[in-house]
Amino acid sequence: MCGITAISTKKEALPFLLQGLEKLEYRGYDSAGVTILSQNQLKTIKTKGRLKDLKEALSHQVLKGQVGIGHTRWATHGIPSNLNSHPHTNEDETISIVHNGIIENYRELKNFLLEKGYHFHSETDSEVVVHLLDYYYKGDILKALQIVLTKLVGSYALCVVTTNHPDEVVITKKDSPIVIGKSDSGTYGASDIPALLEYTKEVYFLNDHDIAVLHPDHVDFYDCDLKPIEKELVNIPYDHEAAQKDGYDTFMLKEIHEQPHVIKETLRGRISQDQVVLDELAEIDFSPFNKAYFVACGTAYHACLSGANIFERMTKIPVICQVASEFRYNDPAIDEHTLCLFVSQSGETADTLAALRLAKKQQATTIAVANVLGSTISREADYTIYTCAGPEIAVASTKAYTTQLVVLMLLGMYAAQRLDKKVDLYHDLIQNLMKLPELVENVLQDEPLFAIYAEYLKEAHDAYFIGRSLDYASVLEGALKLKEVSYVHADAYIAGELKHGPIALIEKGSVLFAVASQPHIAAKTISNIQETIARGANVILFTLKGMEINNAAETYILPDIHPLLQSIIVAIPLQLIAYYTACLKGCDVDKPRNLAKSVTVE
Ligand code: F6R
């Protein structure tokens, strides 16, 4: 998704804009650009390619000025090209904008503007915004923006600079993220907090339709009627170091290794004696719920699959787990007796946000599990439980996933507690939860083994993953991780389904990862594994002590922990196998091709 930076300062604007865009690289992009307001002229440099290409283009220019906007573009409308890159500028170069999101009615707006004599230089939806601002500008940029916003259908985070208001950057949003920062040296806008951290930890959050005007020493806020509003300055507990690689080669490896710590942080304060404490949910009455939906995308959806299994077992409330992009169009059966849970690392995923809004509209009680403080999903849900994973920079989700699993475990236990179910069984589970960080650390010590397992995939084009029950959710996530970072085609199957079709794919040399961590069905998975070995598969088995088989290519014995927590343990080797396979194949681990960290368009 696109990344945006903006600044009004008494110093130079460009260094902030560029470092911020670098911090936003994880969002994925194919072109980049900046506009600086310099001696009452807008100077725009933009180019297809990476930030190094932009820097190269900038090295031939002197771009000095105190106000500016920057953008990394992830193409939606129009190919990656110099002309389609942002910022976009009006004809007489007095207004420049950057946009993240999609203007759905841009064709209609473009026709209107063409009729008025405007010329377009790009194929983007975003360019209509700058010409509309030009068209409605009558001496007050806020009033022009107010009118333009009434014309736009779609999503946007927008930043505007104009020579008519030379100290200011005007910023607004709807359904796309942007956060505002303030320090003694200036005020800032950015798509995400890591872009601000080197300059400030003091931020304001915008709601949809709010307008912020950056000045060098303060920010003014307005509602959509241009009435001034007050915003609270919030201190972000992350430090800049947390957003750096800490000596690891890649963010993904660093984030995999952070898991013992962030699991501990996520558990902190949430267990007291034999009780789960989730004060965030204290006001919820769980007794009227007759069903629940767990909704998310990608990795967060896999966390939901595990979480739903646990929640239903513990509370006996039936749970339907759905991918957000399906849920929102499936006319789900929701009413005031429905609990809807939305899981999202970024808290900005467009489909998950739309699903949340649908559930709210239909009177469900909504809970968000989110990682990014103040993100839209976390603010719009009735209740939010935060994972404490810290900033996740690598595109492939690792520590966010395991902390989501921890939160969903706590949620199942907490809801059961509140419903007076099975609480007496928790002693063991709680003891095991407390041991989790240490056990995850122990599994990380076996990293060299997982690098060896990755060797099986060095020449492979396909890999198969099998498991049952909670292990099925784990292998779905293992397969997703592998394909997204190493581009090895990987599929996950319920082990019991193999003989209903997929086993036809197995031949001599096929690589199959099997997880058999659930004591009540591990033996059945082992039988399915034998069927694949008989057909020539190289099986890498993750199982419990006593369940080993002598004809697997490799066997990893999982630590002794409560079965409901094994998904968290198993995640570690599967993440590392994906990581080392990607390294063997020379892939860009932190920024896999075609992927973006935060999917803020449908
Ligand atoms: C995979 C991955 C994605 C995200 C998905 C949802 O490693 O990162 O599948 O899990 O795009 O993102 P969030 O959790 O931000 O809603």
Side-chain angles (χ1 to χ4, degrees):
M1 304 304 101
C2 307
I4 284 180
T5 51
I7 182 169
S8 172
T9 176
K10 290 204 168 74
K11 301 183 173 172
E12 286 303 317
L14 192 60
F16 167 79
L17 296 177
L18 291 178
Q19 70 77 41
L21 293 178
E22 264 164 26
K23 303 282 166 32
L24 298 174
E25 276 192 301
Y26 69 87
R27 296 167 71 85
Y29 70 104
D30 45 54
S31 50
V34 290
T35 292
I36 299 280
L37 216 159
S38 181
Q39 296 170 336
N40 222 26
Q41 275 194 329
L42 294 179
K43 290 200 176 156
T44 299
I45 308 288
K46 53 188 191 172
T47 178
K48 180 183 160 192
R50 310 296 291 174
L51 282 170
K52 68 172 173 34
D53 302 308
L54 177 65
K55 284 183 186 164
E56 160 64 21
L58 284 164
S59 67
H60 307 296
Q61 315 274 334
V62 182
L63 222 61
K64 288 196 163 297
Q66 285 78 48
V67 169
I69 52 180
H71 191 269
T72 44
R73 174 172 185 259
W74 190 74
T76 55
H77 293 72
I79 53 161
S81 71
N82 290 353
L83 285 178
N84 286 339
S85 313
H86 296 217
H88 294 290
T89 306
N90 64 339
E91 206 64 46
D92 56 7
E93 297 191 355
T94 53
I95 307 173
S96 182
I97 65 117
V98 288
H99 166 230
N100 173 22
I102 292 180
I103 308 298
E104 290 169 19
N105 61 338
Y106 82 100
R107 281 192 191 82
E108 185 189 306
L109 295 170
K110 190 167 177 173
N111 287 339
F112 166 81
L113 288 160
L114 287 169
E115 271 172 32
K116 301 285 174 206
Y118 282 88
H119 300 287
F120 281 76
H121 302 282
S122 76
E123 304 153 296
T124 65
D125 53 333
S126 312
E127 195 183 344
V128 296
V129 178
V130 74
H131 297 311
L132 283 173
L133 282 168
D134 180 275
Y135 180 72
Y136 289 109
Y137 183 75
K138 303 278 179 283
D140 184 336
I141 193 67
L142 286 184
K143 286 206 173 123
L145 181 68
Q146 187 187 27
I147 302 171
V148 170
L149 296 183
T150 63
K151 312 285 174 198
L152 303 183
V153 177
S155 57
Y156 46 81
L158 264 179
C159 298
V160 184
V161 284
T162 163
T163 51
N164 301 305
H165 302 261
D167 274 356
E168 299 174 3
V169 183
V170 179
I171 299 178
T172 188
K173 77 173 282 288
K174 178 180 164 274
D175 297 338
S176 283
I178 192 138
V179 57
I180 308 295
K182 180 179 178 306
S183 76
D184 291 344
S185 339
T187 62
Y188 317 90
S191 299
D192 200 357
I193 289 168
L196 299 177
L197 285 177
E198 207 171 290
Y199 284 70
T200 185
K201 287 189 193 175
E202 307 271 287
V203 304
Y204 301 99
F205 295 112
L206 290 188
N207 291 323
D208 279 356
H209 312 293
D210 287 348
I211 297 172
V213 182
L214 307 186
H215 302 271
D217 54 355
H218 72 284
V219 187
D220 290 323
F221 295 99
Y222 303 90
D223 66 12
C224 56
D225 298 321
L226 301 186
K227 288 209 191 74
I229 51 174
E230 295 287 323
K231 289 265 168 197
E232 190 194 346
L233 201 55
V234 179
N235 190 280
I236 294 298
Y238 306 155
D239 59 11
H240 182 55
E241 281 306 302
Q244 301 298 308
K245 283 187 202 154
D246 250 359
Y248 288 97
D249 285 347
T250 62
F251 281 112
M252 183 176 174
L253 193 59
K254 171 181 171 261
E255 288 162 9
I256 289 173
H257 279 272
E258 281 173 352
Q259 289 176 107
H261 171 69
V262 296
I263 289 172
K264 202 176 196 167
E265 288 304 301
T266 302
L267 286 168
R268 192 183 296 284
R270 288 174 166 162
I271 288 177
S272 170
Q273 288 150 0
D274 270 359
Q275 295 280 303
V276 172
V277 185
L278 284 179
D279 288 339
E280 302 91 322
L281 309 186
E283 284 174 20
I284 300 187
D285 177 5
F286 285 89
S287 46
F289 299 133
N290 54 24
K291 67 170 167 308
Y293 281 97
F294 281 19
V295 181
C297 300
T299 289
Y301 169 70
H302 297 151
C304 279
L305 285 173
S306 283
N309 180 312
I310 290 167
F311 190 89
E312 184 165 314
R313 284 194 209 192
M314 293 202 162
T315 62
K316 299 297 171 211
I317 297 172
V319 188
I320 304 153
C321 207
Q322 284 205 10
V323 167
S325 56
E326 290 289 298
F327 174 87
R328 61 186 289 198
Y329 296 115
N330 277 352
D331 193 11
I334 302 172
D335 60 23
E336 69 276 23
H337 300 302
T338 314
L339 174 67
C340 288
L341 180 96
F342 300 89
V343 180
S344 175
Q345 187 286 127
S346 61
E348 303 293 349
T349 300
D351 284 316
T352 311
L353 179 59
L356 163 67
R357 287 179 176 163
L358 173 78
K360 284 191 78 170
K361 212 160 141 192
Q362 297 188 17
Q363 314 298 323
T365 298
T366 57
I367 302 178
V369 175
N371 189 43
V372 176
L373 204 93
S375 53
T376 311
I377 290 173
S378 69
R379 282 183 290 125
E380 292 198 12
D382 299 323
Y383 305 92
T384 297
I385 320 173
Y386 283 109
T387 49
C388 304
E392 194 180 59
I393 307 292
V395 166
S397 187
T398 53
K399 59 177 182 166
Y401 172 65
T402 44
T403 53
Q404 284 161 357
L405 290 175
V406 169
V407 164
L408 293 174
M409 182 74 236
L410 292 172
L411 174 69
M413 294 168 76
Y414 178 77
Q417 230 169 255
R418 296 282 306 279
L419 291 164
D420 286 331
K421 303 238 157 107
K422 280 196 180 169
V423 179
D424 51 323
L425 297 181
Y426 288 176
H427 179 73
D428 188 28
L429 201 43
I430 284 182
Q431 297 309 308
N432 277 257
L433 266 171
M434 303 308 284
K435 277 197 321 206
L436 249 183
E438 191 191 327
L439 292 181
V440 169
E441 187 62 67
N442 293 347
V443 175
L444 282 167
Q445 301 297 318
D446 292 328
E447 185 171 346
L449 271 182
F450 309 135
I452 293 170
Y453 297 172
E455 299 272 346
Y456 285 89
L457 292 168
K458 199 170 173 187
E459 306 300 331
H461 296 291
D462 305 285
Y464 305 98
F465 287 72
I466 61 167
R468 287 168 181 253
S469 184
L470 284 176
D471 292 337
Y472 176 56
S474 296
V475 293
L476 276 170
E477 175 56 13
L480 175 65
K481 213 81 313 168
L482 182 67
K483 64 190 141 194
E484 70 183 321
V485 297
S486 75
Y487 318 141
V488 172
H489 166 247
D491 263 332
Y493 302 105
I494 296 171
E497 280 290 291
L498 268 186
K499 60 168 79 67
H500 297 285
I503 200 163
L505 296 165
I506 303 296
E507 58 187 357
K508 191 165 174 1
S510 296
V511 183
L512 186 136
F513 296 90
V515 180
S517 80
Q518 302 296 298
H520 67 298
I521 31 122
K524 292 192 187 298
T525 307
I526 301 281
S527 302
N528 301 132
I529 293 166
Q530 292 295 9
E531 290 155 12
T532 68
I533 295 177
R535 286 157 182 84
N538 287 322
V539 170
I540 294 122
L541 171 63
F542 299 87
T543 194
L544 306 167
K545 195 159 190 288
M547 300 299 298
E548 306 90 325
I549 49 175
N550 56 16
N551 51 356
E554 306 284 350
T555 303
Y556 185 78
I557 301 299
L558 296 164
D560 183 20
I561 192 165
H562 194 292
L564 296 184
L565 301 177
Q566 285 289 8
S567 323
I568 300 166
I569 298 290
V570 167
I572 311 299
L574 297 183
Q575 292 166 355
L576 284 165
I577 289 166
Y579 177 80
Y580 281 106
T581 308
C583 293
L584 284 173
K585 293 191 179 267
C587 302
D588 184 346
V589 179
D590 283 339
K591 292 187 214 98
R593 67 186 181 205
N594 306 338
L595 294 180
K597 181 68 183 163
S598 183
V599 186
T600 52
V601 292
E602 190 177 342

